[in-house]
Amino acid sequence: MNKGPGLFSDFGKKAKDLLIKDYTTDQKFTISSSSYSGVALVSNVVEKGGLSSGDVAAQYKQKNATFDVKLDTESNIMTTLTVTDVLPSSKAIASIKLPDYNSGKLEVQYFHEHATFTTAVGLKILPAVDFSATIGTPAIAFGVEASYLTASGEFSKYNAGVSVTNPDRNVSAILADKGDSLRVSYLHHVDHLNRGAVVGEIARKFSTNENTLTVGCSYIVDPHTLVKAKLNNHGNLGTLIQHELRPKSYLTISGAFDTKALEKTPKFGLTLSLKP
């Protein structure tokens, strides 16, 4: 739907996904299925720190509307309704998490050839108002986002950034936390055939004079196997291998190591995602 600069939330997303997505130290089992009527079901069971939790999610698609509902073991019910093209080049998203009726939110996204705008409003008497805007093209874009608290009349956050994208690389710089932090990321596709990629990210916190440098890489060994690794300047090493057992069914094994304290026990996570 969008041929313009994309949303502000997309700035640096590819680099972030390479460094974060699928890394876990929990034990997780997922099974999903779908029907010809447009209903998709997903069940998750997670064991973390000796405690188990789970959820069941369903998604129904009909023309330009998608309805999602999720029920977890803590009796929370999360529902989301997404409708595209209510108006040309727009998307509306309504969500609520029960039993917290104050969690309701309505978001509207508008996409233009050279700009995008989003506005999200909480459904309560004195809501928080989130908004973002970007201008540019798919190759280079500038954007801002902010959150305004109507109850106090103050901004709880305001961020700004720039993103540069082409087939070989993605570069982004985001000034966040009301100007107190800066995050710069660079992702380069080394091998398009095997989808190999390397990424570097540096995050600086001005108030504490703290820097974090993280580098990572991913490589598809064969059509069914992906390996990833990441390391930061604090000595935290993460590794991951993901294998497609059959179409859309994956086994993921990841590990976390503290290279500056080798006497500590490494942490490992396992995720099994099955689709019958």
Side-chain angles (χ1 to χ4, degrees):
M1 180 173 65
N2 179 32
K3 296 181 180 180
L7 300 173
F8 185 85
S9 57
D10 294 330
F11 284 17
K13 185 177 184 301
K14 290 185 178 180
K16 185 177 180 179
D17 284 348
L18 195 153
L19 292 174
I20 295 178
K21 187 177 180 181
D22 295 324
Y23 283 101
T24 181
T25 55
D26 305 328
Q27 315 302 314
K28 182 177 181 181
F29 176 73
T30 300
I31 184 168
S32 60
S33 62
S34 58
S35 66
Y36 291 105
S37 62
V39 178
L41 296 174
V42 179
S43 299
N44 294 296
V45 177
V46 180
E47 182 179 346
K48 182 176 182 179
L51 300 176
S52 297
S53 62
D55 60 68
V56 178
Q59 183 183 81
Y60 178 70
K61 294 183 179 181
Q62 180 64 32
K63 295 182 179 179
N64 64 331
T66 302
F67 179 71
D68 294 271
V69 59
K70 179 188 289 187
L71 173 65
D72 64 26
T73 51
E74 297 181 353
S75 300
N76 296 310
I77 302 176
M78 292 149 281
T79 61
T80 304
L81 175 63
T82 304
V83 183
T84 58
D85 293 325
V86 177
L87 297 174
S89 301
S90 69
K91 178 188 291 186
I93 305 171
S95 63
I96 189 170
K97 181 179 180 180
L98 301 174
D100 182 8
Y101 294 94
N102 290 324
S103 64
K105 180 181 288 188
L106 177 62
E107 180 178 355
V108 177
Q109 301 175 352
Y110 176 73
F111 301 88
H112 186 267
E113 185 177 357
H114 296 295
T116 65
F117 304 93
T118 70
T119 301
V121 181
L123 302 180
K124 56 183 181 180
I125 297 177
L126 295 173
V129 181
D130 302 320
F131 54 90
S132 70
T134 64
I135 59 172
T137 67
I140 181 169
F142 302 88
V144 296
E145 70 171 356
S147 181
Y148 181 74
L149 303 177
T150 57
S152 60
E154 299 177 347
F155 285 94
S156 62
K157 74 173 183 180
Y158 40 83
N159 307 325
V162 58
S163 175
V164 178
T165 303
N166 63 40
D168 293 322
R169 61 187 61 87
N170 300 94
V171 185
S172 69
I174 298 176
L175 186 65
D177 299 325
K178 299 181 179 181
D180 187 44
S181 67
L182 175 67
R183 186 175 75 251
V184 180
S185 64
Y186 176 84
L187 182 145
H188 185 81
H189 296 280
V190 178
D191 187 340
H192 289 283
L193 180 62
N194 289 314
R195 294 195 298 175
V198 294
V199 63
E201 179 185 86
I202 184 167
R204 177 172 176 79
K205 189 80 169 177
F206 295 108
S207 59
T208 60
N209 200 31
E210 182 180 359
N211 297 313
T212 300
L213 172 64
T214 307
V215 294
C217 62
S218 69
Y219 190 76
I220 293 184
V221 179
D222 58 49
H224 304 288
T225 308
L226 168 72
V227 293
K228 294 170 60 176
K230 63 178 180 178
L231 176 67
N232 67 21
N233 62 310
H234 302 298
N236 298 317
L237 171 67
T239 59
L240 178 150
I241 180 169
Q242 185 176 80
H243 182 70
E244 187 176 27
L245 303 172
R246 59 186 183 184
K248 298 183 179 180
S249 294
Y250 299 91
L251 173 64
T252 305
I253 301 174
S254 61
F257 310 86
D258 188 345
T259 60
K260 293 186 178 180
L262 295 178
E263 69 278 5
K264 290 186 177 180
T265 303
K267 297 179 179 180
F268 294 94
L270 186 147
T271 302
L272 181 61
S273 178
L274 299 176
K275 184 170 184 179

